[in-house]
Amino acid sequence: MNVLYEVHNGLYINFTNRCTCACTFCIRQSRDHMDDSGSLWLEREPSVDEVIALLKERDLSKYKEIVFCGYGEPSERMEDAVEICHYLRGVCDLPIRMNTNGLGNLSHREDITPQFKGNFDAVSISLNTPDPVRYYELTRNIFGIAAFSSLLDFTRRIKNYVPSVTMTTVSTTLSEQEEEQCRKICEGLGVKYRIREFQK
Ligand code: SF4
């Protein structure tokens, strides 16, 4: 199983294939890997101990950051992610980021944002669109149209616990006007806005 993989100078952790969305643009639909990762579909979820054992095999000094991001939503395993962060904090000074759909509070039915405190240096949250209905159409999430307001609330809350918070949209998927609306949403929330490259 490809639990750890490299993208540029980052070491990525792929430890779940679970996700509460089924995004129309998800690369999982068109390919099974990122760069040289090999297939990111897991035969089963690795335990925390297994992930840590794999991390121990790596020379962490080679990397600029650790990123929880794979073929699934990392916050689905929030407690396990925190345990892995605790291990990493003990052995290296690398910044740790999570790329998330921002729906973890709905999924866990509680506010999980305090769990990021001290464990994550950055989070990247998929905004996708400025419009709640369009958001639902694009993400096909299991929670419905109300998910969009929860996403914004998650972002507002996580800012209290994580130094660097960025919301993202994908290039070529929005009009300039929509991107401007996204920029305003991010400004209102006090977080950064980034348009990330479209990946086929
Ligand atoms: S949230 Fe991410 S992993 Fe989940 S379906 Fe959307 S793009 Fe894919």
PDB file of all heavy atoms in Angstrom, residues 17-29 70-74 99-103 126 128 135 138-139 196, ligand 1:
ATOM      1  N   ASN A  17      -9.248   6.280   2.553  1.00  0.00           N
ATOM      2  CA  ASN A  17      -9.934   6.544   1.286  1.00  0.00           C
ATOM      3  C   ASN A  17     -11.362   7.008   1.540  1.00  0.00           C
ATOM      4  O   ASN A  17     -12.149   7.190   0.607  1.00  0.00           O
ATOM      5  CB  ASN A  17      -9.968   5.296   0.400  1.00  0.00           C
ATOM      6  CG  ASN A  17      -8.628   4.919  -0.188  1.00  0.00           C
ATOM      7  OD1 ASN A  17      -8.354   3.746  -0.427  1.00  0.00           O
ATOM      8  ND2 ASN A  17      -7.749   5.891  -0.435  1.00  0.00           N
ATOM      9  N   ARG A  18     -11.692   7.190   2.821  1.00  0.00           N
ATOM     10  CA  ARG A  18     -13.052   7.645   3.133  1.00  0.00           C
ATOM     11  C   ARG A  18     -13.220   9.133   2.808  1.00  0.00           C
ATOM     12  O   ARG A  18     -12.294   9.907   3.013  1.00  0.00           O
ATOM     13  CB  ARG A  18     -13.349   7.459   4.625  1.00  0.00           C
ATOM     14  CG  ARG A  18     -13.716   6.054   4.997  1.00  0.00           C
ATOM     15  CD  ARG A  18     -14.024   5.983   6.475  1.00  0.00           C
ATOM     16  NE  ARG A  18     -12.829   5.858   7.295  1.00  0.00           N
ATOM     17  CZ  ARG A  18     -12.755   6.213   8.573  1.00  0.00           C
ATOM     18  NH1 ARG A  18     -13.794   6.735   9.181  1.00  0.00           N
ATOM     19  NH2 ARG A  18     -11.631   6.039   9.254  1.00  0.00           N
ATOM     20  N   CYS A  19     -14.378   9.507   2.331  1.00  0.00           N
ATOM     21  CA  CYS A  19     -14.652  10.923   2.108  1.00  0.00           C
ATOM     22  C   CYS A  19     -16.164  11.129   2.106  1.00  0.00           C
ATOM     23  O   CYS A  19     -16.907  10.273   1.614  1.00  0.00           O
ATOM     24  CB  CYS A  19     -14.064  11.399   0.783  1.00  0.00           C
ATOM     25  SG  CYS A  19     -14.216  13.198   0.614  1.00  0.00           S
ATOM     26  N   THR A  20     -16.602  12.255   2.661  1.00  0.00           N
ATOM     27  CA  THR A  20     -18.035  12.552   2.708  1.00  0.00           C
ATOM     28  C   THR A  20     -18.492  13.296   1.452  1.00  0.00           C
ATOM     29  O   THR A  20     -19.639  13.697   1.350  1.00  0.00           O
ATOM     30  CB  THR A  20     -18.359  13.393   3.957  1.00  0.00           C
ATOM     31  OG1 THR A  20     -17.464  14.506   4.003  1.00  0.00           O
ATOM     32  CG2 THR A  20     -18.242  12.566   5.218  1.00  0.00           C
ATOM     33  N   CYS A  21     -17.558  13.507   0.533  1.00  0.00           N
ATOM     34  CA  CYS A  21     -17.907  14.132  -0.754  1.00  0.00           C
ATOM     35  C   CYS A  21     -17.671  13.130  -1.889  1.00  0.00           C
ATOM     36  O   CYS A  21     -16.961  12.132  -1.724  1.00  0.00           O
ATOM     37  CB  CYS A  21     -17.037  15.354  -1.015  1.00  0.00           C
ATOM     38  SG  CYS A  21     -17.284  16.693   0.162  1.00  0.00           S
ATOM     39  N   ALA A  22     -18.242  13.462  -3.021  1.00  0.00           N
ATOM     40  CA  ALA A  22     -17.969  12.712  -4.256  1.00  0.00           C
ATOM     41  C   ALA A  22     -17.842  13.768  -5.349  1.00  0.00           C
ATOM     42  O   ALA A  22     -18.681  13.859  -6.253  1.00  0.00           O
ATOM     43  CB  ALA A  22     -19.095  11.739  -4.551  1.00  0.00           C
ATOM     44  N   CYS A  23     -16.814  14.590  -5.233  1.00  0.00           N
ATOM     45  CA  CYS A  23     -16.700  15.771  -6.095  1.00  0.00           C
ATOM     46  C   CYS A  23     -16.653  15.400  -7.574  1.00  0.00           C
ATOM     47  O   CYS A  23     -15.997  14.427  -7.958  1.00  0.00           O
ATOM     48  CB  CYS A  23     -15.451  16.571  -5.730  1.00  0.00           C
ATOM     49  SG  CYS A  23     -15.466  17.172  -4.040  1.00  0.00           S
ATOM     50  N   THR A  24     -17.321  16.206  -8.361  1.00  0.00           N
ATOM     51  CA  THR A  24     -17.371  15.937  -9.807  1.00  0.00           C
ATOM     52  C   THR A  24     -15.970  16.009 -10.417  1.00  0.00           C
ATOM     53  O   THR A  24     -15.702  15.372 -11.419  1.00  0.00           O
ATOM     54  CB  THR A  24     -18.263  16.968 -10.513  1.00  0.00           C
ATOM     55  OG1 THR A  24     -17.798  18.274 -10.158  1.00  0.00           O
ATOM     56  CG2 THR A  24     -19.713  16.828 -10.104  1.00  0.00           C
ATOM     57  N   PHE A  25     -15.084  16.815  -9.790  1.00  0.00           N
ATOM     58  CA  PHE A  25     -13.747  17.034 -10.353  1.00  0.00           C
ATOM     59  C   PHE A  25     -12.679  16.202  -9.652  1.00  0.00           C
ATOM     60  O   PHE A  25     -11.487  16.374  -9.894  1.00  0.00           O
ATOM     61  CB  PHE A  25     -13.374  18.518 -10.227  1.00  0.00           C
ATOM     62  CG  PHE A  25     -13.549  19.035  -8.822  1.00  0.00           C
ATOM     63  CD1 PHE A  25     -12.570  18.841  -7.880  1.00  0.00           C
ATOM     64  CD2 PHE A  25     -14.728  19.672  -8.453  1.00  0.00           C
ATOM     65  CE1 PHE A  25     -12.744  19.285  -6.571  1.00  0.00           C
ATOM     66  CE2 PHE A  25     -14.898  20.129  -7.144  1.00  0.00           C
ATOM     67  CZ  PHE A  25     -13.908  19.928  -6.205  1.00  0.00           C
ATOM     68  N   CYS A  26     -13.073  15.304  -8.745  1.00  0.00           N
ATOM     69  CA  CYS A  26     -12.079  14.565  -7.946  1.00  0.00           C
ATOM     70  C   CYS A  26     -11.178  13.731  -8.854  1.00  0.00           C
ATOM     71  O   CYS A  26     -11.674  12.954  -9.681  1.00  0.00           O
ATOM     72  CB  CYS A  26     -12.785  13.657  -6.945  1.00  0.00           C
ATOM     73  SG  CYS A  26     -11.625  12.789  -5.871  1.00  0.00           S
ATOM     74  N   ILE A  27      -9.883  13.863  -8.659  1.00  0.00           N
ATOM     75  CA  ILE A  27      -8.956  13.130  -9.533  1.00  0.00           C
ATOM     76  C   ILE A  27      -9.028  11.629  -9.290  1.00  0.00           C
ATOM     77  O   ILE A  27      -8.549  10.853 -10.103  1.00  0.00           O
ATOM     78  CB  ILE A  27      -7.488  13.605  -9.374  1.00  0.00           C
ATOM     79  CG1 ILE A  27      -7.029  13.483  -7.929  1.00  0.00           C
ATOM     80  CG2 ILE A  27      -7.304  15.017  -9.892  1.00  0.00           C
ATOM     81  CD1 ILE A  27      -5.534  13.673  -7.774  1.00  0.00           C
ATOM     82  N   ARG A  28      -9.660  11.225  -8.193  1.00  0.00           N
ATOM     83  CA  ARG A  28      -9.790   9.787  -7.937  1.00  0.00           C
ATOM     84  C   ARG A  28     -10.599   9.104  -9.033  1.00  0.00           C
ATOM     85  O   ARG A  28     -10.509   7.896  -9.221  1.00  0.00           O
ATOM     86  CB  ARG A  28     -10.477   9.540  -6.588  1.00  0.00           C
ATOM     87  CG  ARG A  28      -9.750  10.176  -5.422  1.00  0.00           C
ATOM     88  CD  ARG A  28     -10.289   9.714  -4.100  1.00  0.00           C
ATOM     89  NE  ARG A  28     -11.709   9.963  -3.918  1.00  0.00           N
ATOM     90  CZ  ARG A  28     -12.394   9.627  -2.841  1.00  0.00           C
ATOM     91  NH1 ARG A  28     -11.769   9.015  -1.846  1.00  0.00           N
ATOM     92  NH2 ARG A  28     -13.659   9.891  -2.715  1.00  0.00           N
ATOM     93  N   GLN A  29     -11.405   9.908  -9.746  1.00  0.00           N
ATOM     94  CA  GLN A  29     -12.250   9.322 -10.798  1.00  0.00           C
ATOM     95  C   GLN A  29     -11.474   9.046 -12.074  1.00  0.00           C
ATOM     96  O   GLN A  29     -11.875   8.226 -12.884  1.00  0.00           O
ATOM     97  CB  GLN A  29     -13.396  10.280 -11.135  1.00  0.00           C
ATOM     98  CG  GLN A  29     -14.323  10.494  -9.974  1.00  0.00           C
ATOM     99  CD  GLN A  29     -15.298  11.624 -10.232  1.00  0.00           C
ATOM    100  OE1 GLN A  29     -16.503  11.418 -10.238  1.00  0.00           O
ATOM    101  NE2 GLN A  29     -14.798  12.812 -10.449  1.00  0.00           N
ATOM    102  N   GLY A  70      -4.497  12.619   0.739  1.00  0.00           N
ATOM    103  CA  GLY A  70      -4.390  11.429  -0.105  1.00  0.00           C
ATOM    104  C   GLY A  70      -5.680  11.216  -0.850  1.00  0.00           C
ATOM    105  O   GLY A  70      -6.375  12.174  -1.185  1.00  0.00           O
ATOM    106  N   TYR A  71      -6.019   9.942  -1.059  1.00  0.00           N
ATOM    107  CA  TYR A  71      -7.252   9.641  -1.781  1.00  0.00           C
ATOM    108  C   TYR A  71      -8.405   9.458  -0.794  1.00  0.00           C
ATOM    109  O   TYR A  71      -9.018   8.402  -0.720  1.00  0.00           O
ATOM    110  CB  TYR A  71      -7.045   8.395  -2.650  1.00  0.00           C
ATOM    111  CG  TYR A  71      -6.628   8.758  -4.062  1.00  0.00           C
ATOM    112  CD1 TYR A  71      -6.052   9.991  -4.324  1.00  0.00           C
ATOM    113  CD2 TYR A  71      -6.832   7.882  -5.124  1.00  0.00           C
ATOM    114  CE1 TYR A  71      -5.684  10.353  -5.592  1.00  0.00           C
ATOM    115  CE2 TYR A  71      -6.457   8.229  -6.411  1.00  0.00           C
ATOM    116  CZ  TYR A  71      -5.891   9.468  -6.634  1.00  0.00           C
ATOM    117  OH  TYR A  71      -5.531   9.819  -7.907  1.00  0.00           O
ATOM    118  N   GLY A  72      -8.653  10.521  -0.033  1.00  0.00           N
ATOM    119  CA  GLY A  72      -9.722  10.502   0.950  1.00  0.00           C
ATOM    120  C   GLY A  72      -9.600  11.739   1.806  1.00  0.00           C
ATOM    121  O   GLY A  72      -8.669  12.530   1.640  1.00  0.00           O
ATOM    122  N   GLU A  73     -10.524  11.899   2.721  1.00  0.00           N
ATOM    123  CA  GLU A  73     -10.550  13.092   3.575  1.00  0.00           C
ATOM    124  C   GLU A  73      -9.826  12.794   4.896  1.00  0.00           C
ATOM    125  O   GLU A  73     -10.327  12.009   5.702  1.00  0.00           O
ATOM    126  CB  GLU A  73     -12.010  13.497   3.809  1.00  0.00           C
ATOM    127  CG  GLU A  73     -12.237  14.511   4.890  1.00  0.00           C
ATOM    128  CD  GLU A  73     -11.369  15.765   4.755  1.00  0.00           C
ATOM    129  OE1 GLU A  73     -11.179  16.246   3.620  1.00  0.00           O
ATOM    130  OE2 GLU A  73     -10.869  16.240   5.785  1.00  0.00           O
ATOM    131  N   PRO A  74      -8.655  13.417   5.132  1.00  0.00           N
ATOM    132  CA  PRO A  74      -7.859  13.069   6.316  1.00  0.00           C
ATOM    133  C   PRO A  74      -8.574  13.290   7.642  1.00  0.00           C
ATOM    134  O   PRO A  74      -8.355  12.555   8.599  1.00  0.00           O
ATOM    135  CB  PRO A  74      -6.641  14.001   6.223  1.00  0.00           C
ATOM    136  CG  PRO A  74      -6.658  14.566   4.852  1.00  0.00           C
ATOM    137  CD  PRO A  74      -8.035  14.438   4.300  1.00  0.00           C
ATOM    138  N   ASN A  99      -4.760  19.027   4.138  1.00  0.00           N
ATOM    139  CA  ASN A  99      -5.658  19.465   3.070  1.00  0.00           C
ATOM    140  C   ASN A  99      -7.017  18.817   3.348  1.00  0.00           C
ATOM    141  O   ASN A  99      -7.112  17.596   3.425  1.00  0.00           O
ATOM    142  CB  ASN A  99      -5.144  19.009   1.702  1.00  0.00           C
ATOM    143  CG  ASN A  99      -3.889  19.745   1.289  1.00  0.00           C
ATOM    144  OD1 ASN A  99      -3.420  20.641   1.992  1.00  0.00           O
ATOM    145  ND2 ASN A  99      -3.324  19.370   0.151  1.00  0.00           N
ATOM    146  N   THR A 100      -8.017  19.651   3.508  1.00  0.00           N
ATOM    147  CA  THR A 100      -9.301  19.101   3.972  1.00  0.00           C
ATOM    148  C   THR A 100     -10.480  19.674   3.190  1.00  0.00           C
ATOM    149  O   THR A 100     -10.399  20.785   2.659  1.00  0.00           O
ATOM    150  CB  THR A 100      -9.479  19.395   5.482  1.00  0.00           C
ATOM    151  OG1 THR A 100     -10.788  18.978   5.893  1.00  0.00           O
ATOM    152  CG2 THR A 100      -9.310  20.870   5.811  1.00  0.00           C
ATOM    153  N   ASN A 101     -11.578  18.919   3.185  1.00  0.00           N
ATOM    154  CA  ASN A 101     -12.797  19.456   2.571  1.00  0.00           C
ATOM    155  C   ASN A 101     -13.541  20.379   3.530  1.00  0.00           C
ATOM    156  O   ASN A 101     -14.540  20.989   3.150  1.00  0.00           O
ATOM    157  CB  ASN A 101     -13.713  18.326   2.066  1.00  0.00           C
ATOM    158  CG  ASN A 101     -14.211  17.400   3.165  1.00  0.00           C
ATOM    159  OD1 ASN A 101     -14.140  17.716   4.342  1.00  0.00           O
ATOM    160  ND2 ASN A 101     -14.715  16.233   2.769  1.00  0.00           N
ATOM    161  N   GLY A 102     -13.086  20.457   4.777  1.00  0.00           N
ATOM    162  CA  GLY A 102     -13.678  21.409   5.725  1.00  0.00           C
ATOM    163  C   GLY A 102     -15.029  20.993   6.279  1.00  0.00           C
ATOM    164  O   GLY A 102     -15.717  21.786   6.909  1.00  0.00           O
ATOM    165  N   LEU A 103     -15.390  19.731   6.055  1.00  0.00           N
ATOM    166  CA  LEU A 103     -16.695  19.260   6.533  1.00  0.00           C
ATOM    167  C   LEU A 103     -16.558  18.346   7.753  1.00  0.00           C
ATOM    168  O   LEU A 103     -17.492  17.622   8.112  1.00  0.00           O
ATOM    169  CB  LEU A 103     -17.446  18.542   5.392  1.00  0.00           C
ATOM    170  CG  LEU A 103     -17.683  19.385   4.132  1.00  0.00           C
ATOM    171  CD1 LEU A 103     -18.500  18.595   3.102  1.00  0.00           C
ATOM    172  CD2 LEU A 103     -18.389  20.696   4.470  1.00  0.00           C
ATOM    173  N   SER A 126     -10.905  23.313   0.884  1.00  0.00           N
ATOM    174  CA  SER A 126     -11.500  23.478  -0.450  1.00  0.00           C
ATOM    175  C   SER A 126     -12.784  24.292  -0.368  1.00  0.00           C
ATOM    176  O   SER A 126     -13.764  23.851   0.232  1.00  0.00           O
ATOM    177  CB  SER A 126     -11.833  22.111  -1.056  1.00  0.00           C
ATOM    178  OG  SER A 126     -10.689  21.313  -1.110  1.00  0.00           O
ATOM    179  N   ASN A 128     -14.062  25.798  -3.362  1.00  0.00           N
ATOM    180  CA  ASN A 128     -14.644  25.343  -4.643  1.00  0.00           C
ATOM    181  C   ASN A 128     -15.501  26.356  -5.386  1.00  0.00           C
ATOM    182  O   ASN A 128     -15.432  26.464  -6.594  1.00  0.00           O
ATOM    183  CB  ASN A 128     -15.461  24.057  -4.475  1.00  0.00           C
ATOM    184  CG  ASN A 128     -14.611  22.905  -4.017  1.00  0.00           C
ATOM    185  OD1 ASN A 128     -13.478  22.755  -4.476  1.00  0.00           O
ATOM    186  ND2 ASN A 128     -15.117  22.090  -3.110  1.00  0.00           N
ATOM    187  N   TYR A 135     -22.062  24.567  -4.687  1.00  0.00           N
ATOM    188  CA  TYR A 135     -21.151  23.778  -3.849  1.00  0.00           C
ATOM    189  C   TYR A 135     -21.687  22.353  -3.692  1.00  0.00           C
ATOM    190  O   TYR A 135     -20.951  21.378  -3.829  1.00  0.00           O
ATOM    191  CB  TYR A 135     -20.993  24.444  -2.472  1.00  0.00           C
ATOM    192  CG  TYR A 135     -20.103  23.679  -1.533  1.00  0.00           C
ATOM    193  CD1 TYR A 135     -18.720  23.787  -1.606  1.00  0.00           C
ATOM    194  CD2 TYR A 135     -20.646  22.815  -0.570  1.00  0.00           C
ATOM    195  CE1 TYR A 135     -17.894  23.062  -0.749  1.00  0.00           C
ATOM    196  CE2 TYR A 135     -19.833  22.095   0.280  1.00  0.00           C
ATOM    197  CZ  TYR A 135     -18.460  22.224   0.196  1.00  0.00           C
ATOM    198  OH  TYR A 135     -17.646  21.487   1.040  1.00  0.00           O
ATOM    199  N   LEU A 138     -21.373  20.452  -6.939  1.00  0.00           N
ATOM    200  CA  LEU A 138     -19.981  20.081  -7.258  1.00  0.00           C
ATOM    201  C   LEU A 138     -19.432  18.996  -6.348  1.00  0.00           C
ATOM    202  O   LEU A 138     -18.745  18.077  -6.788  1.00  0.00           O
ATOM    203  CB  LEU A 138     -19.067  21.313  -7.130  1.00  0.00           C
ATOM    204  CG  LEU A 138     -19.034  22.310  -8.261  1.00  0.00           C
ATOM    205  CD1 LEU A 138     -18.186  23.508  -7.857  1.00  0.00           C
ATOM    206  CD2 LEU A 138     -18.449  21.665  -9.519  1.00  0.00           C
ATOM    207  N   THR A 139     -19.732  19.130  -5.053  1.00  0.00           N
ATOM    208  CA  THR A 139     -19.120  18.196  -4.093  1.00  0.00           C
ATOM    209  C   THR A 139     -19.957  16.935  -3.901  1.00  0.00           C
ATOM    210  O   THR A 139     -19.450  15.915  -3.448  1.00  0.00           O
ATOM    211  CB  THR A 139     -18.929  18.847  -2.709  1.00  0.00           C
ATOM    212  OG1 THR A 139     -20.212  19.228  -2.196  1.00  0.00           O
ATOM    213  CG2 THR A 139     -18.020  20.067  -2.791  1.00  0.00           C
ATOM    214  N   ARG A 196      -5.827  27.041  -7.063  1.00  0.00           N
ATOM    215  CA  ARG A 196      -4.855  25.985  -7.345  1.00  0.00           C
ATOM    216  C   ARG A 196      -5.041  25.440  -8.753  1.00  0.00           C
ATOM    217  O   ARG A 196      -6.132  25.536  -9.329  1.00  0.00           O
ATOM    218  CB  ARG A 196      -4.897  24.876  -6.295  1.00  0.00           C
ATOM    219  CG  ARG A 196      -6.185  24.123  -6.192  1.00  0.00           C
ATOM    220  CD  ARG A 196      -6.115  23.086  -5.069  1.00  0.00           C
ATOM    221  NE  ARG A 196      -7.066  22.022  -5.259  1.00  0.00           N
ATOM    222  CZ  ARG A 196      -8.329  22.059  -4.885  1.00  0.00           C
ATOM    223  NH1 ARG A 196      -8.817  23.139  -4.299  1.00  0.00           N
ATOM    224  NH2 ARG A 196      -9.139  21.041  -5.107  1.00  0.00           N
TER     225      ARG A 196
HETATM  226  S1  SF4 B   1     -13.247  16.148  -0.984  1.00  0.00           S
HETATM  227 FE1  SF4 B   1     -11.323  15.689  -2.048  1.00  0.00          FE
HETATM  228  S2  SF4 B   1     -11.096  13.440  -1.884  1.00  0.00           S
HETATM  229 FE2  SF4 B   1     -13.229  13.924  -1.365  1.00  0.00          FE
HETATM  230  S3  SF4 B   1     -14.311  13.638  -3.313  1.00  0.00           S
HETATM  231 FE3  SF4 B   1     -13.776  15.833  -3.130  1.00  0.00          FE
HETATM  232  S4  SF4 B   1     -11.814  16.059  -4.210  1.00  0.00           S
HETATM  233 FE4  SF4 B   1     -12.138  13.854  -3.835  1.00  0.00          FE
END
